[in-house]
Amino acid sequence: ITRGITLRIILDSRGKKTVEAEVRTENGFGRAAAPGGASTGIYEAVVRDPSDAVSDATIQVIPHLIGVDVSDQIGFDSLLHEIDGTGNFSRIGANVAVALSLAASKAAADSRNIPLWQHIGGVFVAHAPRPLGNVIGGGAHAPYATEIQEFLVVPTGCERVRDGIFANARVHALVRELLTKRGISTGKGDEGAWAPPISDPDAFEVLSEAADIASDEAGFEISPGIDVAASQLYDPESGMYRYRDGRLRSSEDQVTYIADLIDEYELVYVEDPLYEEDYAGFAALNRETGNRCLICGDDLFVTNKKRIQDGLTQGSTNCVLIKPNQIGTLTDTFEAIDIAQRNGLETVMSHRSGETEDTTIAHLACAFNCVFIKTGVVGGERTAKLNELIRIEESIYERK
Ligand code: PGA
Ligand code: ZN
C-alpha cells in the first residue's frame, strides 16, 4: 500500500530534464525514471514538459495514488489512465506516467524482497536476452554522420549473455580502430555509437570487418543489424524516401533497397525500414526476407497493442520493439508484448536515445522473455542496464 510518492526532475544522458518517481510502501521502495527519444514516433503517448508535468502531477495525481495497493499493477495502471482520462497520457504526461508505473512495480518487488524480474514473472525465465547494440550511428542521433540511424551488432552465437556484452564492446572498440586507421574522426552520437562522417556503405564495411574480427576472437557469431528509422527519411509531400544524395525512393524501391542490404550484409535485424504508416510496405519486405531476418517495428507500433494488431492482420513484421515510455505503463507494455508473443512475433526490449542510470528495462527484458535487449554498448546510462543484465543472468544460472 503506497504511503508516499515523490516526483522530481533529474538529468538524462543528453543533459535534458526528465522525470523521476519514487514510491514508498510500509516496507518497500521503488524508484524509476522516464527516458526520452529523439526520433520519436507520431503515435507515441504524449510526453509533457517535465517541470510542468511534475508540478501538475504533484497536486492533481499523487493524492489519488496514496493508499493504493502496488501489488495490483493492473489496478495501479488503470488508476493512472482514469486520472488522465485522455487515452494517450496527454494530460498527466507519459513521462510522469511511466516513471510512476515502473516505480510502483519496483516498490511492489521490494516489498516482497525479490528482484523486479522475478516479481513480474520470472519463474519460467530460462535465459537472459542477448544484447543488441549500436556501434555506428547518425540520423537523428548525430548530425553529419551516417544516414541510417543505427548500425547494430548482436552476439547471435554467444552461450552466456555476459560474453555477448563483452563481445559487443569489443566490436565498438574495433570500429574506432578501423575508422582511425582510415583517418576518419570518431565523435559519438547520443547513444554512445561512433558518429563518423561516412557513407552508409562505408559504415557497413567497417561494421562487418569489426564484427568478423570480434567473432573470431570470441569464438561465436556476432551478427549485424540496422535501425533505419525511416520515418525520418520519409517526405510526406512526395510520398517518397528522400536521401542525401538527392535520390528519391518509393515504398517499392525502399523495400528492394533494404532487401538487398539484408542479402549483401547478412543482416539478422532490421528496424523501421519503412515509415510509421506503411504497414503494407513492411509486409512486402517481411514476405520477402522475414524468414532470414527480423523485421522489427518501432515507430510503426509504438508499443501500442492496437497498432500491433493491425500489423498482425497485414503480416507487417515478425518482430516488435518494446519501449515502455511509448505507451506509458507497465500493464500496457505487458499487453503489447503479450499480443505480439501469442501471435508468434519476437519482442525486443529497448532503451531510448535519452537515458538515465535506471535499469528497469533489463528486468523487463528478462521477465518477458524478449529475444534481445537493445540498449547500446558503452556509456554509463547504457552499461547500467548491461551490467544489471550480467547480474540477473548470474542469478538465473545460480537458480538452475
Ligand atoms: P529514440 O530512437 O529513442 O531517439 O526515439 C531510438 C530508436 O529509434 O530506436
Ligand atoms: Zn528505432
Side-chain angles (χ1 to χ4, degrees), residues 20-287:
E20 177 172 86
E22 287 178 357
V23 172
R24 270 170 298 280
T25 64
E26 302 99 281
N27 56 348
F29 172 78
R31 174 189 289 149
S39 65
T40 49
I42 54 175
Y43 296 106
E44 293 191 23
V46 178
V47 170
R48 285 189 59 205
D49 170 79
S51 305
D52 293 349
V54 165
S55 51
D56 288 352
T58 304
I59 302 163
Q60 295 163 13
V61 180
I62 289 178
H64 299 287
L65 297 175
I66 301 297
V68 172
D69 182 2
V70 287
S71 71
D72 175 14
Q73 186 73 41
I74 298 172
F76 187 92
D77 290 341
S78 32
L79 190 52
L80 283 174
H81 274 296
E82 217 173 281
I83 298 166
D84 179 75
T86 67
N88 63 5
F89 286 118
S90 52
R91 185 157 161 251
I92 71 178
N95 36 357
V96 164
V98 80
L100 285 169
S101 177
L102 297 178
S105 73
K106 288 164 97 174
D110 190 47
S111 308
R112 296 172 64 194
N113 215 359
I114 53 174
L116 181 64
W117 68 273
Q118 284 187 341
H119 169 62
I120 292 173
V123 217
F124 298 113
V125 172
H127 303 282
R130 292 197 168 114
L132 172 70
N134 49 340
V135 291
I136 304 175
H141 295 163
Y144 311 113
T146 58
E147 201 151 25
I148 289 175
Q149 182 176 281
E150 300 171 24
F151 292 80
L152 302 142
V153 284
V154 57
T156 39
C158 72
E159 182 80 25
R160 289 288 297 259
V161 159
R162 174 195 60 199
D163 300 327
I165 290 171
F166 300 147
N168 281 0
R170 179 67 181 137
V171 176
H172 188 269
L174 283 163
V175 164
R176 181 188 210 174
E177 278 179 29
L178 295 172
L179 289 170
T180 307
K181 235 188 255 170
R182 295 176 178 213
I184 298 160
S185 65
T186 50
K188 281 185 193 170
D190 284 353
E191 296 179 352
W194 305 112
I198 58 176
S199 69
D200 290 353
D202 285 348
F204 275 117
E205 205 177 288
V206 171
L207 179 77
S208 305
E209 197 179 336
D212 284 348
I213 298 170
S215 271
D216 287 345
E217 288 176 9
F220 53 76
E221 189 72 23
I222 301 169
S223 309
I226 51 174
D227 180 359
V228 183
S231 299
Q232 305 287 321
L233 297 170
Y234 186 71
D235 168 33
E237 247 160 57
S238 58
M240 309 274 263
Y241 296 85
R242 189 182 289 278
Y243 285 78
R244 263 194 307 236
D245 58 4
R247 186 165 187 156
L248 291 172
R249 286 190 173 95
S250 67
S251 180
E252 296 75 42
D253 297 341
Q254 180 77 0
V255 168
T256 307
Y257 168 58
I258 301 294
D260 288 348
L261 292 179
I262 291 170
D263 289 340
E264 184 168 359
Y265 300 106
E266 296 177 43
L267 305 179
V268 300
Y269 178 87
V270 174
E271 182 178 320
D272 282 353
L274 286 302
Y275 85 109
E276 59 211 316
E277 312 270 17
D278 196 359
Y279 287 99
F282 268 86
L285 181 67
N286 193 34
R287 268 195 305 276

Side-chain angles (χ1 to χ4, degrees), residues 14 36-41 44 140-141 149-150 191 227 229 271-272 298-299 321 323 326 350-354 374:
R14 263 196 286 260
S39 65
T40 49
E44 293 191 23
H141 295 163
Q149 182 176 281
E150 300 171 24
E191 296 179 352
D227 180 359
E271 182 178 320
D272 282 353
D298 170 12
D299 291 352
L321 199 73
K323 292 170 166 171
Q326 283 182 326
S350 172
H351 66 169
R352 302 306 302 252
S353 51
K374 185 184 184 221

